[in-house]
Amino acid sequence: MAAAGTAPRRSASSAFVSVAIVLAVVVTCSLFPPSSSAEAAACSSHTFSGNGGHLYASCADLPRLGATLHYNYTAATNTVAVAFRAPQAKGGGEDGWVAWGINPSGRAGMVGTQAVVAFRRSNGTLVAYPTVLDSYTPSMAPAAPEDLAFPVSGVAAEHVDGKGMVVYATVALPAAKGSKFTHVWQQGSAVVNDVPAAHPTTGDNVLSTATIDFSE
Ligand SMILES: *[C@@H]1O[C@H](CO)[C@@H](O)[C@H](O)[C@H]1NC(C)=O
Ligand SMILES: *[C@@H]1O[C@H](CO)[C@@H](O)[C@H](O)[C@H]1NC(C)=O
């Protein structure tokens, strides 16, 4: 376990206040129009080498942070397989993190969101796992299966040279909620002691939420 000597490379201070404040701000987001399906999506040019090179039936250019979401929705089981891709945060090089999640409450914010997060550990290994954003100060720790409000499987990460990070996951959507959900996404430039650190609390980082109908 090589988590020990992670030398902080940036003058920390205000930036790292805590994951708390960080993700917290995502909360106040107003609603943004989902990216129009009529547009020729830039996402349609993306291909994936991870996850067995699977193709996805649909994709959306998300309205903030240059992120995209590819997805395959299976109505019969109300599950969706996703590939979330986001550029590395500015200044983070390859040391940042990306996350995507669903807030089953429908609130356009972070608290209550069940997310998948991906980053590079201090020992160089890429890691991705589900995590529960249960407060404005989430631990960002891996969630045990019994802590998940709805099951998430097949979580994996891929680094795309110069283009950021991809997180793969298959989500069993909450029953009786249909196919339309509020989703939330995020990127941060730092991981400290193998824990994703606070993202900026201004600009796109607090506006990165939308609604999505996976059946469209
Ligand atoms: C990196 O650390 C993780 C968590 O401790 C461990 O599971 C993984 O095997 C390590 N990888 C390498 C290449 O040492
Ligand atoms: C998405 O659905 C298509 C068509 O059914 C299938 O070929 C592909 O493997 C699926 N991709 C994933 C990631 O499940």
Side-chain angles (χ1 to χ4, degrees):
M1 302 289 177
T6 324
R9 266 161 289 178
R10 290 161 213 86
S11 50
S13 64
S14 59
F16 294 166
V17 183
S18 80
V19 183
I21 306 179
V22 184
L23 293 157
V25 183
V26 174
V27 143
T28 36
C29 316
S30 45
L31 291 175
F32 280 82
S35 49
S36 163
S37 51
E39 292 163 17
C43 61
S44 60
S45 66
H46 294 181
T47 55
F48 298 93
S49 55
N51 200 30
H54 282 309
L55 298 173
Y56 294 84
S58 312
C59 76
D61 288 314
L62 304 183
R64 304 282 162 172
L65 303 175
T68 60
L69 188 74
H70 286 68
Y71 54 99
N72 255 15
Y73 175 66
T74 306
T77 51
N78 206 28
T79 58
V80 66
V82 303
F84 169 77
R85 186 166 110 172
Q88 300 288 104
K90 283 195 177 67
E94 285 192 19
D95 301 330
W97 55 270
V98 304
W100 173 86
I102 288 175
N103 191 335
S105 77
R107 287 180 53 229
M110 155 199 175
V111 173
T113 295
Q114 199 173 282
V116 284
V117 60
F119 57 91
R120 196 177 290 284
R121 282 203 176 100
S122 51
N123 70 4
T125 309
L126 269 186
V127 64
Y129 55 76
T131 189
V132 176
L133 308 179
D134 54 359
S135 74
Y136 294 139
T137 57
S139 70
M140 300 305 285
E146 62 269 24
D147 295 332
L148 296 177
F150 44 96
V152 179
S153 59
V155 182
E158 180 187 14
H159 182 255
V160 188
D161 247 354
K163 290 179 181 166
M165 207 107 76
V166 179
V167 196
Y168 300 99
T170 299
V171 179
L173 297 165
K177 294 218 176 195
S179 58
K180 191 174 179 183
F181 288 89
T182 296
H183 64 148
V184 177
W185 59 97
Q186 199 49 267
Q187 66 180 187
S189 62
V191 174
V192 178
N193 295 330
D194 288 353
V195 178
H199 63 74
T201 54
T202 57
D204 280 1
N205 291 91
V206 296
L207 298 170
S208 45
T209 181
T211 55
I212 188 168
D213 188 339
F214 293 116
S215 70
E216 288 175 353

